[in-house]
Amino acid sequence: MPVYRDEAVVLRTHKLGEADRIVTMLSRQHGKIRAVAKGVRRTASRFGSRLEPFMVADVQLYEGRSLDIVTQAESIGAYGALIAEDYASYTAANAMVEAADRLTDAEASLQQYLLLVGALRSLSRREHGPGLTLDSYLLRALSLAGWAPSFEDCSRCGAPGPHTAVVVQLGGVVCDNCAPQGAPRVDADTIALLGALLTGDWAAAEAAPEPTRSRANGVVAAYTQWHLERGLRSLQHIPHDQTPHSPAPHDQPTHDQKASG
């Protein structure tokens, strides 16, 4: 059977039988992969801990009829334990991998892979507030999937901004002429924060006060729910406190993967 190698980030796992797991991964070159990791639930497993959610590994697999089989796994980014130490980071990471699972398929998407790995690495290092990191990730991931929002010019007619009406069904801010009756209005500071999260302007994003972050978070959640047709279950567990946390130890960098910021 054909054997191949790839770098992959673990999105989720499911128990299979008494000792195996089905592992869903987003890979660098092969898109989303579902594979069986045999014996990983046994104490003596060679690579069980390397195939947990949020971990990045160099994996070797061989193609099966319905599911591939993991034969080797070497750790590249051990983010899981560091993320799990902080509840806000853990819930944000769960929302990220759930979104990645929904936004990707078997088609290779290097940009989606790099974006997710960079966001998880940033969470593990406590580089930014977990809520800001999550909202930035969601906006960028949706943009890569073809749903880039506009937070400057009118998303419907292109009229130059700034605009204050936000209609997620129309792709972001809209001018007064395009805004449906009763369209929600958002203050300029929130619009600016949304733009900063989309472009990765972390200095501007972190300067935003908590009420502005909360309003921006509501827009991001609504935009995500609209384009994914149903909301992310993980968002229900996101804590309201989105303030930055103390730095965490750095792990070893992974080749040329880009950080989220």
Side-chain angles (χ1 to χ4, degrees), residues 103-253:
L103 289 169
T104 58
D105 52 28
E107 293 291 325
S109 178
L110 177 60
Q111 288 181 307
Q112 288 282 11
Y113 170 79
L114 293 174
L115 177 66
L116 178 60
V117 171
L120 292 174
R121 181 169 61 244
S122 180
L123 278 179
S124 74
R125 294 177 176 179
R126 316 288 192 262
E127 290 177 349
H128 312 291
L132 292 177
T133 304
L134 171 60
D135 286 343
S136 179
Y137 168 78
L138 291 174
L139 290 175
R140 295 189 197 186
L142 288 164
S143 297
L144 290 175
W147 298 311
S150 173
F151 296 123
E152 180 62 32
D153 298 337
C154 176
S155 59
R156 189 172 187 183
C157 72
H163 305 294
T164 60
V166 176
V167 183
V168 296
Q169 298 91 331
L170 298 179
V173 296
V174 292
C175 65
D176 291 341
N177 291 332
C178 294
Q181 186 174 4
R185 300 280 172 168
V186 179
D187 62 281
D189 288 344
T190 301
I191 296 294
L193 174 55
L194 289 165
L197 292 171
L198 180 60
T199 59
D201 183 351
W202 288 107
E206 293 184 326
E210 180 57 34
T212 302
R213 297 185 189 191
S214 181
R215 289 190 292 270
N217 174 261
V219 173
V220 174
Y223 194 79
T224 302
Q225 180 172 350
W226 171 258
H227 286 291
L228 294 183
E229 298 182 356
R230 64 184 190 276
L232 298 175
R233 293 189 302 273
S234 303
L235 290 181
Q236 301 172 11
H237 306 291
I238 300 295
H240 292 296
D241 180 15
Q242 299 181 5
T243 54
H245 294 259
S246 58
H250 287 201
D251 52 78
Q252 296 181 352

Side-chain angles (χ1 to χ4, degrees), residues 3 16 26 40 73 89 104 108 113 119 128 131 139 155 195 199 244 249 258 260:
V3 176
L16 179 65
L26 180 60
V40 294
S89 297
T104 58
Y113 170 79
H128 312 291
L139 290 175
S155 59
T199 59
K258 298 178 182 178
S260 67

